[in-house]
């Protein structure tokens, strides 16, 4: 958002805190002091002069995912405008530069040459995208980038760092209700997109919502493959055969109803906890106490998924997994921690196109050790230009 005084904004504008404002800057006219005031960390910020500048937070997010950064920095090939090569060079520069800003024009030139974004339907307008367009782009471009990088890194093996980090093997099973004919197909998912129930007023936990996306069972009308059967009624189900180490989620917020769902669920969750808070809090020692002992959020910061008793069954629970398991049982438990969020900020003034993306990332100790020569801090808020 262009840096202007809130007093000069129209009455219907949303007043956004200064730390979240996107400033239109001419990098050639900025001094070292100006850049230091804008970025007070030792981490360099990705920027570009090309029309994809609104994607810089997403590129920065990939940099802080260490398996991705290591994979692309180790990639070398002779392909002209190779996206993995250019991203590896960009990440190498981010590792070693002392500048506050790192230019990513070469990477976005390679991205412009890639055919996959056009094939997969990711539309990039020449102008600044409208809010709804930017939401659509942000929620599809990560999967597009991952699939391009996975394709370019895979030379002699189908197993790449992208697949190992983000990939989950899913078996799609289609069962005819008449003759019980079964059709199965295995796919690799790199991302999951949330979908919301039509009634957004009914309280539902985030993990229940996530489970319905990762393991669904719905009815479908499709002609049976069995030549002797003319039935159209089928049950379509998805069975997770392996879980990803990094779970990438698209919020799938495409309408005001979707946004209202998040808002209502968060308010309902907070109201429930406030009315059911145990007066002793964390110090409560009652075994049978059913009150809330620690304030949480509707979107959990930690959760774990473990295999159930039946094949393909998964159990989703908030918090860290605290049971003591042997090495064989530990293989079926995956712990997840909220690592990065790319958010869309909009001040509701379409005539000025004052909206953009911001990144909150939990920067790991290795990155702080390289830049700060310290491991005391695990996170950083990166102001993206």
């Amino acid at each position: 958002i262009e840096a202007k005084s809130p007093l000069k904004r129209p009455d219907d504008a949303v007043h956004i805190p200064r730390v979240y404002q996107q400033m239109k800057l001419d990098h050639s006219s900025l001094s070292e002091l100006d850049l230091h005031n804008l970025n007070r960390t030792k981490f360099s910020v990705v920027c570009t002069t090309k029309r994809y500048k609104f994607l810089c937070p997403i590129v920065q997010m990939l940099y802080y995912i260490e398996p991705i950064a290591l994979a692309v920095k180790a990639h070398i090939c002779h392909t002209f405008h190779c996206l993995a090569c250019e991203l590896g060079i960009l990440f190498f520069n981010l590792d070693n530069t002392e500048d506050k800003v790192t230019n990513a024009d070469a990477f976005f030139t390679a991205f412009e040459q890639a055919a996959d974004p056009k094939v997969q339907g990711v539309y990039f307008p020449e102008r600044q995208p409208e809010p709804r367009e930017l939401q659509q782009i942000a929620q599809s471009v990560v999967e597009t980038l991952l699939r391009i990088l996975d394709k370019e890194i895979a030379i002699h093996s189908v197993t790449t760092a992208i697949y190992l980090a983000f990939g989950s093997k899913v078996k799609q099973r289609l069962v005819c209700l008449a003759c019980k004919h079964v059709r199965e197909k295995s796919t690799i998912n790199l991302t999951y997109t949330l979908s919301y129930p039509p009634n957004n007023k009914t309280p539902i936990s985030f993990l229940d919502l996530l489970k319905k996306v990762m393991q669904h069972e719905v009815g479908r009308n499709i002609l049976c493959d069995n030549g002797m059967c003319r039935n159209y009624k089928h049950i379509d189900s998805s069975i997770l055969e392996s879980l990803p180490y990094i779970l990438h989620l698209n919020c799938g917020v495409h309408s005001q109803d979707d946004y209202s769902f998040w808002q209502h669920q968060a308010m309902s969750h907070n109201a429930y906890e406030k009315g059911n808070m145990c007066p002793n809090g964390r110090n409560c020692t009652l075994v049978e106490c059913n009150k809330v002992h620690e304030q949480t959020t509707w979107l959990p910061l930690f959760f774990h998924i473990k295999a159930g008793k039946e094949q393909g069954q998964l159990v989703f629970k908030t918090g860290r997994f605290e049971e003591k398991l042997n090495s064989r049982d530990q293989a079926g438990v995956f712990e997840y921690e909220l690592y990065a969020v790319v958010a869309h900020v909009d001040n509701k003034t379409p005539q000025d196109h004052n909206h953009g993306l911001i990144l909150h990332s939990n920067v790991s100790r290795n990155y702080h050790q390289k830049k700060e020569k310290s491991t005391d801090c695990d996170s950083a808020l990166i102001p993206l230009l």
Side-chain angles (χ1 to χ4, degrees):
I1 294 162
E2 191 172 1
K4 296 179 181 178
S5 170
L7 299 177
K8 298 179 182 179
R9 296 185 179 182
D11 295 336
D12 59 347
V14 177
H15 301 299
I16 298 173
R18 184 173 180 272
V19 70
Y20 296 118
Q21 296 181 9
Q22 178 184 0
M23 303 180 67
K24 296 180 179 179
L25 303 173
D26 179 8
H27 302 115
S28 60
S29 63
L30 292 175
S31 65
E32 286 296 325
L33 180 61
D34 294 328
L35 291 173
H36 177 76
N37 289 330
L38 292 169
N39 180 9
R40 298 183 181 181
T41 73
K42 289 188 179 291
F43 298 103
S44 186
V45 177
V46 175
C47 72
T48 182
T49 59
K50 294 188 173 291
R51 62 191 177 106
Y52 305 113
K53 56 187 176 183
F54 50 86
L55 297 181
C56 287
I58 294 176
V59 176
Q60 191 103 31
M61 178 191 69
L62 294 178
Y63 169 66
Y64 290 118
I65 301 176
E66 199 164 14
I68 307 299
L70 293 174
V72 295
K73 284 189 290 186
H75 175 74
I76 300 176
C77 73
H78 300 287
T79 306
F80 188 60
H81 283 319
C82 171
L83 203 67
C85 287
E86 294 296 347
L87 192 62
I89 294 172
L90 174 61
F91 288 175
F92 177 83
N93 292 336
L94 288 171
D95 280 343
N96 295 281
T97 185
E98 295 184 0
D99 296 335
K100 295 295 183 179
V101 175
T102 298
N103 190 290
D105 283 357
F107 166 76
F108 283 110
T109 299
F111 181 76
E112 200 168 25
Q113 299 298 321
D116 291 71
K118 300 174 185 176
V119 172
Q120 297 190 22
V122 182
Y123 170 68
F124 297 97
E126 294 290 340
R127 50 175 169 70
Q128 170 73 7
E130 298 290 341
R132 179 167 292 187
E133 290 176 329
L134 187 55
Q135 290 174 9
Q136 299 277 359
I137 292 171
Q139 296 185 80
S140 57
V141 73
V142 175
E143 182 177 8
T144 301
L145 280 171
L146 292 177
R147 293 199 178 277
I148 296 174
L149 294 173
D150 183 64
K151 180 180 176 181
E152 292 184 344
I153 294 175
I155 301 176
H156 302 293
S157 174
V158 295
T159 304
T160 67
I162 307 294
Y163 168 80
L164 292 175
F166 290 90
S168 60
K169 191 175 181 180
V170 181
K171 181 187 291 184
Q172 299 294 139
R173 177 176 293 173
L174 199 64
V175 181
C176 176
L177 294 179
C179 68
K180 306 302 179 183
H181 175 72
V182 178
R183 187 194 338 175
E184 293 183 342
K185 179 182 178 182
S186 293
T187 59
I188 301 298
N189 279 0
L190 296 179
T191 184
Y192 290 91
T193 301
L194 300 179
S195 59
Y196 305 102
N199 183 9
N200 58 17
K201 301 298 183 182
T202 304
I204 181 174
S205 72
F206 178 83
L207 293 186
D208 286 341
L209 190 72
L210 178 60
K211 185 176 182 179
K212 289 182 178 180
V213 173
M214 298 182 70
Q215 284 191 308
H216 68 267
E217 186 174 290
V218 295
R220 288 187 60 188
N221 289 327
I222 186 174
L223 182 62
C224 182
D225 280 354
N226 187 354
M228 303 299 293
C229 179
R230 307 301 298 175
N231 180 56
Y232 279 83
K233 299 295 184 180
H234 287 73
I235 293 295
D236 185 8
S237 58
S238 63
I239 302 172
L240 266 73
E241 297 184 314
S242 66
L243 288 168
Y245 284 94
I246 300 175
L247 182 60
H248 173 247
L249 299 177
N250 285 333
C251 290
V253 177
H254 300 305
S255 66
Q256 182 62 38
D257 289 340
D258 296 337
Y259 172 77
S260 298
F261 174 86
W262 275 77
Q263 194 174 37
H264 179 78
Q265 296 298 329
M267 292 175 62
S268 299
H269 179 87
N270 293 340
Y272 172 80
E273 287 201 341
K274 186 176 181 180
N276 292 274
M277 187 65 67
C278 177
N280 296 321
R282 294 183 181 181
N283 298 322
C284 180
T285 57
L286 296 177
V287 178
E288 298 181 355
C289 181
N290 295 322
K291 295 288 186 177
V292 177
H293 298 97
E294 184 178 359
Q295 189 173 5
T296 61
T297 58
W298 182 70
L299 177 65
L301 300 181
F302 303 92
F303 68 91
H304 63 270
I305 305 175
K306 66 175 182 177
K309 295 181 180 180
E310 298 181 7
Q311 184 179 7
Q313 183 186 30
L314 297 175
V315 179
F316 293 67
K317 288 188 177 181
T318 58
R320 297 186 183 275
F321 192 77
E322 298 179 352
E323 297 180 19
K324 293 183 179 181
L325 300 174
N326 56 43
S327 58
R328 182 179 178 181
D329 292 333
Q330 286 178 349
V333 179
F334 282 74
E335 289 190 346
Y336 295 98
E337 175 184 355
L338 186 61
Y339 184 80
V341 175
V342 176
H344 175 239
V345 179
D346 182 16
N347 74 345
K348 306 298 182 183
T349 54
Q351 67 274 16
D352 295 327
H353 303 290
N354 291 334
H355 59 93
L357 302 178
I358 61 171
L359 166 68
H360 288 93
S361 181
N362 185 8
V363 182
S364 69
R365 291 177 179 268
N366 289 342
Y367 288 89
H368 283 279
Q369 195 168 23
K370 282 188 288 188
K371 286 290 185 179
E372 307 273 356
K373 306 303 181 185
S374 170
T375 59
D376 295 334
C377 182
D378 284 336
S379 62
L381 173 64
I382 307 299
L384 296 171
L385 309 181

